[in-house]
Amino acid sequence: MIILKHYKVDDVSYVSHKDILRVLQRGLKRAGVDVKYSQGYVPHMLTYTTTPVPLGVQSVAEYFAFECVSNVDKDDILLRYNKSMPTGMRAVASFYKDRNPNLAGIVVASDYIAESVEVLPKEIESIIGCQNYVISTSKKGQIVKKDVAPLIYTLRVEGARLYMRLASGNANLRADSFVNHLNERFGLNIKINDICRVAQLVEVDGKFIDVEEVLK
């Protein structure tokens, strides 16, 4: 199993997850990578991704896994893949695992950086101390109330930057929904495209570890 760590930045951040997956798969075809297909009436390329970022949110830590028909060199795959991909989706690292690491199942949190044009209020950090923190989110066109206190692990303000560690995976807090709430409550003007996922994390022995450490 080959796993590529790639970007989703600039204009590419506005491309939907389904279309991103198509581009990734076409990139493998253009690179001449012999990827395994499923068996059945409608065979499809066996590829796997982690939980996608919301539309418009950028990321420098996306992961794309696929199984090849024969043994291949991960570094050669990285080189060939990048030659066939747009700049905003280039891969920065490649990994090899004997079996599918099931990244979508083991990733439990993501780190984000949100950039503002103005210095942010330190008061934002006080949210971490709340036992309950309810925000309004949109789900299938309906506005719902959601207690997000258990889904926020880190909030740190450094000047005009906000560092966030939010739940990801089965228990998920969308970075765009949370930042929209902060904009309304604190009078901020952070745009969705000013948010970037910088790491995905798994939990090992009660500690968060970058998924890249698991793949090495």
Side-chain angles (χ1 to χ4, degrees):
M1 180 73 67
I2 300 292
I3 303 99
L4 296 178
K5 179 183 180 181
H6 69 92
Y7 288 172
K8 185 189 177 190
V9 296
D10 302 326
D11 291 344
V12 177
S13 63
Y14 295 103
V15 180
S16 72
H17 178 63
K18 286 185 177 180
D19 288 333
I20 286 290
L21 188 55
R22 292 190 187 101
V23 175
L24 289 166
Q25 292 176 341
R26 288 170 183 166
L28 291 177
K29 288 181 179 179
R30 288 193 299 270
V33 181
D34 197 5
V35 181
K36 279 189 177 180
Y37 279 74
S38 65
Q39 304 297 312
Y41 186 70
V42 184
H44 60 275
M45 192 180 288
L46 294 175
T47 57
Y48 311 89
T49 65
T50 48
T51 302
V53 289
L55 196 68
V57 173
Q58 302 192 67
S59 177
V60 294
E62 297 299 286
Y63 293 88
F64 178 54
F66 50 91
E67 190 170 358
C68 296
V69 173
S70 56
N71 291 332
V72 292
D73 180 78
K74 64 181 181 63
D75 295 323
D76 179 59
I77 292 288
L78 177 64
L79 182 63
R80 288 157 55 190
Y81 172 84
N82 278 339
K83 287 181 178 179
S84 68
M85 297 301 291
T87 304
M89 288 181 65
R90 295 280 169 83
V92 293
S94 59
F95 309 89
Y96 175 81
K97 302 294 284 186
D98 288 334
R99 60 183 64 183
N100 187 355
N102 186 26
L103 296 181
I106 65 173
V107 169
V108 296
S110 291
D111 283 345
Y112 299 89
I113 296 176
E115 300 273 2
S116 173
V117 295
E118 300 175 340
V119 173
L120 298 170
K122 293 288 283 186
E123 184 186 354
I124 293 173
E125 296 177 353
S126 65
I127 293 173
I128 285 291
C130 299
Q131 287 190 332
N132 304 97
Y133 194 80
V134 178
I135 68 172
S136 297
T137 63
S138 178
K139 187 175 182 179
K140 296 181 179 179
Q142 303 253 340
I143 301 298
V144 298
K145 300 287 187 180
K146 182 176 182 177
D147 180 12
V148 299
L151 307 178
I152 306 171
Y153 303 120
T154 300
L155 276 181
R156 189 174 80 256
V157 172
E158 293 186 5
R161 278 189 170 185
L162 174 63
Y163 295 84
M164 304 178 288
R165 177 168 293 175
L166 308 177
S168 184
N170 292 330
N172 184 57
L173 175 55
R174 288 175 56 117
D176 58 342
S177 296
F178 184 56
V179 168
N180 280 337
H181 164 79
L182 296 179
N183 282 339
E184 292 178 8
R185 177 179 171 183
F186 296 98
L188 311 180
N189 189 29
I190 301 175
K191 297 179 174 58
I192 300 305
N193 203 232
D194 295 329
I195 308 168
C196 183
R197 175 154 71 180
V198 294
Q200 298 194 54
L201 306 121
V202 300
E203 190 172 5
V204 178
D205 297 329
K207 296 180 180 179
F208 289 115
I209 296 176
D210 194 309
V211 70
E212 198 163 329
E213 295 301 314
V214 176
L215 296 175
K216 288 180 179 177

